[in-house]
Amino acid sequence: MKRLLSVSIIAAILWVGISVPVFAADDPLPSWNDGPAKQAIIAFVKETTNQAGPKFVPPEERIATFDQDGTLWVEHPMYTQVMYCLERVPAVVKAKPRLSKVQPFKTVLSGNREAMAKLSMKDLEKILMATLTGMTVDEFNAEVKKWIATATHPRWNRPYTELVYQPMLEVMQYLRANGYKTYIVTGGGQDFVRQYSERVYGIPPEQVVGTAGGTRYGYAKDGKPFLTKEPKLLLNDNNAGKPEGIHLMIGRRPCAAFGNSTGDRQMLEYTKAGEGTRLSMLVLHDDGEREYAYGPAERLPNTKVGTFTQALYDEAKKNGWTVISMKNDWKRLFAFEP
């Protein structure tokens, strides 16, 4: 149980929302600046879909995987699903009043952000256990949808669904237009992401691979069957768990993989190790003006949320992975920008 919750804390987090991008036929990636990253994506698609070329990939093998937090949408200052869990605490306490006098619930109820920022991993595990398990799957789904409809990011004061990276939305649409099947492979909660993935990314729930907990089958008083979410880890979809999850849920090695942190390293290694043309890309958050700047790769500020180490950066350069500079490669970040 402890393993489940510690995994869910750093991993079970995310979601977003935005409209499908529209672009000119002569430029499938209009929100990208011309440069090595954009050229690598376009060259990859052209080479792998040219049936007369030596790098052609059959349609059934065209698989592309995307991490979510920090790769498809904003993950700072805290993962969105953690914010969901914190904001769910009052409802949990209302159902179980005794928790109002128990830590860490007492601290969360105080609204003291400074104190909440100092909560330990064990404290957060207790919060996750109380807010992510113990209810039916249908109840959980309904609560997530309700929260998503009103929750806003503290910096932009916009719904989290508007903080999706427009350049990455364009990449996904470009790949799908050329016969690729796109998957979200995230350390975040699988059930959480599935509530909005199709609306936001055009990715149906069955193409979401995430950290998954156990469920228990049962019957209501009227005989209707239902599933209850339990504090039991089935899949830790982070680090080495990502290629393991890909094998378990997809059954094919990706041709392309996109990430942004050390938690994505094994997924990119696994992708690049396949035969034929492969594309492995990492988003580097080096734009503190338009978004956030963190690494600590390339002397950027260190962080525990979406860590991109210098060792990962060096591995990318050594193995031919493409590092996407948010500052230099993206013309705009969000759809609401001019």
Side-chain angles (χ1 to χ4, degrees), residues 191-238:
D191 287 350
F192 193 89
V193 181
R194 284 176 170 176
Q195 298 313 303
Y196 56 83
S197 63
E198 192 158 29
R199 174 175 61 86
V200 173
Y201 301 116
I203 295 179
E206 64 268 22
Q207 289 171 217
V208 174
V209 182
T211 295
T215 56
R216 177 171 49 84
Y217 188 78
Y219 297 93
K221 292 181 179 179
D222 61 0
K224 183 179 180 179
F226 64 92
L227 293 171
T228 300
K229 292 175 65 65
E230 294 194 315
K232 175 183 177 183
L233 181 65
L234 295 182
L235 173 63
N236 171 13
D237 200 59
N238 204 30

Side-chain angles (χ1 to χ4, degrees), residues 272 278-281 314-323:
K272 194 69 173 180
R278 303 281 162 166
L279 181 66
S280 294
M281 306 192 83
D314 294 341
E315 181 178 0
K317 293 299 183 181
K318 178 182 177 181
N319 294 334
W321 306 350
T322 301
V323 176

